[in-house]
Amino acid sequence: MLVSAKEMLQKAKAGHYAVGQFNINNLEWTKSILLTAQEMDSPVILGVSEGAGKYMCGFKTVSAMVKAMIEELNITVPVALHLDHGTYEGCYKCIEAGFSSIMFDGSSYPIDENVAKTKELVKICAEKGMSLEAEVGSIGGEEDGVVGMGECADPDECKAIADLGVDMLAAGIGNIHGKYPANWPGLSFETLAAVQEKTGEMPLVLHGGTGIPDDMIKKAINLGVAKINVNTECQLSFAAATRKYIEEGKDLQGKGYDPRKLLAPGAEAIKATVREKIELFGSAGKASE
Ligand SMILES: [Zn+2]
């Protein structure tokens, strides 16, 4: 069932586990993630970046596909359809397209403008029953062409944004998108603890979940992270499984070229990655609790 992310994240925060946001790129991705969440009785968030939304022929196409799939596959666990790193304009497009959740990434605006725009979106989301994620302090790495340096958020700025009534807050704590470089210093737990202290019950979001060691993930959850974004890891699993299939010449055997066969190992690999993350985040079995 399609729901806002508000309730599932409040429960996660109270229960000291995190809900995974898995980004989708096409039908196979969406199907693999939904089926795995259902199988594991876990709430789940489907993330859609503006680039992926464009690739999938627009947010309306994505919204229609996800809603139909939830119905046709009998998905009963809570599912949120969430815009990832939305621009101001992109947020409005997703509100109109029937998403249940949006992230407004105002981190590139001066704090005053970030606050003004977030305030406006808080009001609209409350009216529509949607959840809203805000960001303070840019996340490092590359996201749709924008390169952030992985700075740490100012806890007072986090409090200012949290007080506006957003449902979840992404605070930069040294995390980055994509693969982590070998010389990455790790997450700043001091920043996370300071942000948590200022924002209290606010579910915190950890972006760039790919490649963060498991013990750091667990520590972050203990310190108040209730949503973890995973994107690159599913892409790497899908690519590796597809590469193996082709390198073994399986596409040349019988009807191995049939897309339903050619894409099957990749789809299974996504399921395995999602299963592993749901276990690590501790959200398995929580949907029906
Ligand atoms: Zn992100």
Side-chain angles (χ1 to χ4, degrees):
M1 100 192 115
L2 191 68
V3 296
S4 105
K6 187 186 174 110
E7 200 188 321
M8 65 169 88
L9 293 181
Q10 283 175 347
K11 277 189 184 170
K13 176 103 182 181
H16 303 287
Y17 60 92
V19 177
Q21 172 189 306
F22 301 97
N23 282 47
I24 59 172
N25 290 286
N26 62 15
L27 182 141
E28 279 74 17
W29 242 263
T30 314
K31 183 178 168 186
S32 293
I33 297 163
L34 287 177
L35 287 174
T36 308
Q38 180 69 26
E39 179 195 309
M40 299 188 74
D41 188 37
S42 169
V44 74
I45 299 168
L46 301 178
V48 181
S49 68
E50 297 212 351
K54 199 171 165 190
Y55 174 78
M56 289 185 274
C57 309
F59 297 128
K60 285 182 186 165
T61 309
V62 176
S63 173
M65 175 180 75
V66 168
K67 285 174 186 166
M69 221 185 260
I70 287 172
E71 190 186 328
E72 298 275 2
L73 295 174
N74 297 312
I75 303 296
T76 56
V77 296
V79 179
L81 176 59
H82 181 76
L83 170 64
D84 192 21
H85 291 280
T87 58
Y88 182 68
E89 296 75 22
C91 285
Y92 277 95
K93 281 187 187 162
C94 287
I95 290 167
E96 201 195 322
F99 275 46
S100 65
S101 188
I102 52 174
M103 172 187 187
F104 169 54
D105 184 349
S107 62
S108 61
Y109 291 105
I111 186 72
D112 290 348
E113 197 173 350
N114 189 354
V115 166
K117 287 188 159 63
T118 301
K119 216 174 198 174
E120 184 188 313
L121 289 163
V122 162
K123 189 167 174 279
I124 296 167
C125 286
E127 283 166 13
K128 303 261 181 193
M130 296 170 68
S131 46
L132 175 66
E133 175 177 345
E135 174 168 333
V136 179
S138 73
I139 315 291
E142 192 248 334
E143 178 89 4
D144 283 351
V146 180
V147 180
M149 297 305 286
E151 65 190 65
C152 285
D154 173 346
D156 289 315
E157 284 189 2
C158 290
K159 182 171 167 41
I161 295 281
D163 286 350
L164 300 174
V166 301
D167 303 290
M168 51 195 136
L169 183 72
I173 54 167
N175 42 328
I176 61 177
H177 292 118
K179 287 186 185 176
Y180 283 80
N183 60 352
W184 179 57
L187 296 176
S188 167
F189 292 110
E190 301 75 43
T191 307
L192 181 55
V195 170
Q196 159 76 65
E197 205 189 313
K198 293 267 181 186
T199 58
E201 295 304 302
M202 175 65 53
L204 302 175
V205 183
L206 183 63
H207 282 243
T210 299
I212 297 177
D214 290 2
D215 58 329
M216 283 195 196
I217 292 278
K218 287 189 175 152
K219 193 168 175 190
I221 294 171
N222 279 334
L223 286 169
V225 164
K227 171 176 177 276
I228 301 175
N229 295 4
V230 177
N231 184 9
T232 309
E233 204 148 336
C234 290
Q235 297 183 1
L236 292 170
S237 314
F238 179 86
T242 307
R243 169 185 289 278
K244 185 166 178 278
Y245 182 86
I246 292 173
E247 281 183 349
E248 287 173 355
K250 290 191 176 154
D251 56 318
L252 303 172
Q253 297 163 16
K255 284 197 174 175
Y257 54 83
D258 179 334
R260 279 172 269 168
K261 290 186 174 150
L262 180 64
L263 298 175
E268 286 304 316
I270 293 171
K271 283 185 188 168
T273 298
V274 172
R275 208 172 285 134
E276 203 179 284
K277 296 298 169 192
I278 286 177
E279 287 199 345
L280 174 64
F281 301 164
S283 67
K286 303 292 185 188
S288 51
E289 262 184 18

